Amino acid sequence: DTEVTQTPKHLVMGMTNKKSLKCEQHMGHRAMYWYKQKAKKPPELMFVYSYEKLSINESVPSRFSPECPNSSLLNLHLHALQPEDSALYLCASSQDPPTSGEGKTQYFGPGTRLLVL
Amino acid sequence: AQSVTQLDSHVSVSEGTPVLLRCNYSSSYSPSLFWYVQHPNKGLQLLLKYTSAATLVKGINGFEAEFKKSETSFHLTKPSAHMSDAAEYFCVARNYGGSQGNLIFGKGTKLSVKP
């Protein structure tokens, strides 16, 4: 089973709201990722967690705050977003962290479509 | 620097005819290459991957891709298109330099299938 789940499927929020996106995998994967995808574009990497520790932050604004409470869960906390942050947010996981091991294939969840008003 | 180029932004085929989606890569290292498919309003699904084993890689849903080092290509093919194949396809390479852990995505090819 290579399933990554994400909730919610859709989210509408105002610029002053605080919300969270959730991602879960039960494959025992040791790396988890957040991507942002704008319409008609490929995904862009935001964050990478390896062994529950943040290993890569691709210069993402602080209004996006990732959290990895345990090896199966990854959250993305959102605060004071801008309309240009509206996008599809994708979570992915891989068996091994990206810098080691052979199991680097990333498996993606279905995404959360976010609209910021 | 590594890069992935998908040569067509849009490919249109008739149902039952062959599919060819073209991808070229550049890499100083032995590459790991992937094809992902994204149906409308969905996440990315792994179709197949090449990791220096057999050069002809078979994936799900009848797709396959051939790694050709001399041509630096990894084209995706399917003998007979089905309506359900209509989607966006991304050719992807692992990034061995710079920010570790990145996947390098091509810009995507939208496949349309006509009845």
Side-chain angles (χ1 to χ4, degrees), chain A residues 66-116:
Chain A
E67 179 198 18
C68 189
N70 60 56
S71 59
S72 300
L73 278 177
L74 185 66
N75 298 322
L76 186 63
H77 302 298
L78 314 172
H79 174 54
L81 293 194
Q82 303 297 310
E84 59 264 29
D85 297 321
S86 299
L88 181 68
Y89 288 84
L90 294 164
C91 175
S93 71
S94 61
Q95 181 182 336
D96 292 318
T99 55
S100 64
E102 293 298 318
K104 304 183 193 70
T105 301
Q106 293 185 27
Y107 297 92
F108 286 80
T112 293
R113 188 159 298 282
L114 173 67
L115 177 62
V116 182

Side-chain angles (χ1 to χ4, degrees), chain A residues 33 35 37 40-45 48 56 58 88 90 98-99 102 104-111 113, chain B residues 34 36 38 40-46 49 51 88 90 94 96 99-103 105-108 110:
Chain A
Y33 310 75
Y35 287 84
Q37 186 180 24
K40 301 187 190 302
K41 299 285 187 184
E44 298 173 355
L45 183 68
V48 180
I56 294 174
E58 290 286 357
L88 181 68
L90 294 164
T99 55
E102 293 298 318
K104 304 183 193 70
T105 301
Q106 293 185 27
Y107 297 92
F108 286 80
R113 188 159 298 282
Chain B
F34 309 83
Y36 285 88
Q38 186 174 32
N41 299 310
K42 301 288 186 186
L44 275 71
Q45 181 182 19
L46 180 67
K49 61 181 178 180
T51 53
E88 189 84 20
F90 292 100
R94 265 188 50 77
Y96 287 94
S99 182
Q100 290 288 322
N102 268 14
L103 297 179
F105 284 82
K107 291 187 184 298
K110 182 177 180 179

Side-chain angles (χ1 to χ4, degrees), chain A residues 5-16:
Chain A
T5 59
Q6 290 186 244
T7 53
K9 285 191 168 68
H10 302 275
L11 179 63
V12 179
M13 60 186 291
M15 290 189 283
T16 58

Side-chain angles (χ1 to χ4, degrees), chain B:
Chain B
Q2 288 180 265
S3 66
V4 174
T5 303
Q6 291 184 244
L7 296 160
D8 306 292
S9 60
H10 190 194
V11 169
S12 181
V13 301
S14 296
E15 191 174 20
T17 64
V19 175
L20 170 64
L21 304 183
R22 298 182 295 166
C23 173
N24 285 103
Y25 70 92
S26 70
S27 174
S28 302
Y29 305 90
S30 181
S32 293
L33 298 164
F34 309 83
W35 277 98
Y36 285 88
V37 61
Q38 186 174 32
H39 287 91
N41 299 310
K42 301 288 186 186
L44 275 71
Q45 181 182 19
L46 180 67
L47 274 180
L48 49 81
K49 61 181 178 180
Y50 168 77
T51 53
S52 75
T55 56
L56 182 61
V57 183
K58 293 190 184 300
I60 61 171
N61 301 336
F63 284 94
E64 61 182 38
E66 186 171 9
F67 173 72
K68 291 187 177 180
K69 187 174 181 179
S70 60
E71 299 175 11
T72 62
S73 69
F74 190 57
H75 301 334
L76 182 71
T77 60
K78 182 173 180 177
S80 176
H82 192 272
M83 295 297 291
S84 61
D85 295 327
E88 189 84 20
Y89 291 79
F90 292 100
C91 182
V92 182
R94 265 188 50 77
N95 182 14
Y96 287 94
S99 182
Q100 290 288 322
N102 268 14
L103 297 179
I104 300 172
F105 284 82
K107 291 187 184 298
T109 298
K110 182 177 180 179
L111 176 64
S112 298
V113 182
K114 297 174 289 189

Side-chain angles (χ1 to χ4, degrees), chain A residues 15-33:
Chain A
M15 290 189 283
T16 58
N17 292 159
K18 286 185 181 181
K19 297 286 185 184
S20 296
L21 310 185
K22 181 179 172 182
C23 173
E24 196 163 0
Q25 57 87 13
H26 294 287
M27 298 177 278
H29 286 183
R30 290 163 281 199
M32 297 184 76
Y33 310 75

